[in-house]
Amino acid sequence: STDVTDRLLRGADFAETADVIVAKAAEITQADAGFLLLRADGGPDGGPQLTVRAGYGDGTERFLGCRYGLDGARAALLTGDGASCRFDGGSQPFVALDHAPPPDRYLGPGALVPLSSGGRVVGVVSVVREEGRPALSDADVRMLQAFAGHAALAVEFSRAAADRQRLAVLEDRDRIARDLHDLIIQRLFAVGLGLQGVGAMVGRPEVADKLSAFVDDLDDTIRDVRKTIFSLQEPPDRPSGLRGEVLRVVNAATDTLGFEPRLRLDGPLDAAVPDAIRPDLLAVLGEALTNVARHARAGSADVEVGVDTAAGTVTLVVSDDGVGPSADDPTGHGTVNMATRARRLGGECRLEGGSERGARLVWSVPLRLAD
């Protein structure tokens, strides 16, 4: 117990501490194998299940990460008062889930002790002896119960450490996003303005054109940096707001397209676009990118989503450098669905050829829906 406590206070990670716990549990009960299993809900019958997080003994490594349920009355151990139970040789209390290896290697006598934390059973410690050996005594089970308290403490330490690490990562992401916005974008913007001023003073057209191209490159870079800022500011588990949802859809299409579309977001999307419009906008965006992947044979694509508060509209533009539409091409179901969504919201949708090549989809609807 002192050894485990010392490891926890020194900040040892959960895997290291769990290995010590199961080794010591097997040692104090003179068992041949020990396991630490943590609880997770959502088993095949909707009940709790257990995942093997640590093992001690010959061949126990093949069970790591495998999931098991508890048979019969022993399943109440995870939801009851936390009473321990012993089992005799010839059978095991664990039921293999998801093609996990059956625990037939260890069919001797053993015991299960629940790990309780905050009034909830978070897992179990299990020890087992080889077949033919005597069953565990009451004293063995009492020692295992006392030792299980340290295992529960290790679980809580692990979760607290993981929470602290996630918080540190989120704080770093927020700081990086602020620095990119407050420092990098402002400097790039200033350089772009300076180049535009120099271009106005240049007499040679070819030099002025080159400076203009540099300004365009800086504009693209600023858009990419802004996209990175939006990504850094999103929660890791779910996007927040329309900007985050658009970014999620664009990122999800990257594998299908074979390249990452360029994304530009303008205006107060999160504040101005009503909730009633957002599902249609996201559905049209996904359909448009799917069409690019299926039909355009494009090497790049651009996505623009902008709010024009003066005109009272939100507009989605998806363009690519692919083969472009032909007058002889039949109108596909996807295009019809996108147009139908626009008309239902009082807007319009048109698919046209690009200025040089490819296709350009423009989907625009009013921000204020008709009653």
Side-chain angles (χ1 to χ4, degrees):
S1 294
T2 302
D3 188 13
V4 173
T5 302
D6 179 62
R7 288 175 182 272
L8 290 174
L9 294 177
R10 286 192 288 107
D13 63 25
F14 177 73
E16 176 185 346
T17 307
D19 288 340
V20 173
I21 287 172
V22 293
K24 297 294 185 182
E27 179 182 336
I28 63 177
T29 57
Q30 299 180 355
D32 298 296
F35 298 92
L36 175 64
L37 304 94
L38 294 186
R39 172 178 176 166
D41 294 324
D45 57 354
Q49 58 187 7
L50 297 165
T51 302
V52 180
R53 296 294 302 275
Y56 169 80
D58 185 29
T60 56
E61 64 277 357
R62 75 189 185 102
F63 298 104
L64 294 179
C66 297
R67 299 193 300 167
Y68 297 88
L70 291 177
D71 66 347
R74 295 188 180 99
L77 182 145
L78 297 178
T79 57
D81 57 4
S84 303
C85 72
R86 282 180 287 180
F87 50 90
D88 299 324
S91 65
Q92 267 282 341
F94 297 108
V95 179
L97 303 175
D98 298 336
H99 309 292
D104 51 7
R105 183 186 179 95
Y106 299 101
L107 295 177
L112 284 176
V113 176
L115 307 179
S116 298
S117 176
R120 181 175 182 268
V121 177
V122 297
V124 298
V125 171
S126 175
V127 295
V128 62
R129 292 173 176 173
E130 292 181 351
E131 282 189 280
R133 292 191 58 193
L136 274 70
S137 66
D138 291 339
D140 291 329
V141 176
R142 285 197 298 270
M143 284 193 295
L144 191 58
Q145 286 174 327
F147 194 67
H150 292 277
L153 182 63
V155 172
E156 290 306 304
F157 263 68
S158 170
R159 290 176 175 172
D163 288 341
R164 288 196 301 270
Q165 185 176 10
R166 280 193 294 269
L167 180 60
V169 170
L170 290 175
E171 289 176 345
D172 278 346
R173 287 170 50 151
D174 189 55
R175 176 185 55 79
I176 293 170
R178 287 198 308 269
D179 290 346
L180 285 173
H181 181 271
D182 297 340
L183 300 176
I184 306 301
I185 283 186
Q186 301 305 321
R187 290 178 180 176
L188 290 173
F189 190 66
V191 172
L193 289 177
L195 288 175
Q196 283 182 323
V198 172
M201 296 184 293
V202 172
R204 296 172 57 187
E206 63 272 18
V207 177
D209 291 342
K210 184 173 287 293
L211 288 174
S212 179
F214 288 150
V215 172
D216 292 340
D217 289 341
L218 283 175
D219 287 340
D220 290 339
T221 303
I222 290 173
R223 283 195 291 268
D224 290 340
V225 173
R226 281 178 173 159
K227 178 181 175 182
T228 302
I229 292 173
F230 297 146
S231 177
L232 287 170
Q233 291 176 332
E234 295 302 337
D237 54 344
R238 61 176 178 84
S240 62
L242 182 57
R243 288 177 178 268
E245 292 288 351
V246 169
L247 182 62
R248 178 185 59 79
V249 174
V250 171
N251 286 339
T254 298
D255 290 340
T256 306
L257 290 166
F259 55 83
E260 183 177 2
R262 290 184 293 269
L263 175 62
R264 178 176 179 178
L265 303 172
D266 291 326
L269 297 179
D270 292 332
V273 180
D275 292 340
I277 294 177
R278 298 184 182 195
D280 288 296
L281 189 151
L282 295 171
V284 170
L285 172 58
E287 181 68 31
L289 291 175
T290 299
N291 287 345
V292 173
R294 288 179 178 175
H295 310 299
R297 300 197 295 273
S300 66
D302 292 88
V303 175
E304 299 179 31
V305 184
V307 167
D308 186 339
T309 53
T313 58
V314 56
T315 301
L316 165 68
V317 179
V318 179
S319 55
D320 64 77
D321 63 353
V323 296
S326 170
D328 299 329
D329 292 338
T331 303
H333 292 295
T335 305
V336 172
N337 289 338
M338 290 187 288
T340 300
R341 290 179 184 273
R343 286 195 300 270
R344 188 176 67 244
L345 297 173
E348 62 175 358
C349 175
R350 63 181 186 273
L351 178 64
E352 57 195 20
S355 57
E356 297 181 0
R357 58 176 301 184
R360 185 171 184 266
L361 174 83
V362 181
W363 190 88
S364 181
V365 298
L367 294 173
R368 292 180 60 86
L369 303 180
D371 296 332

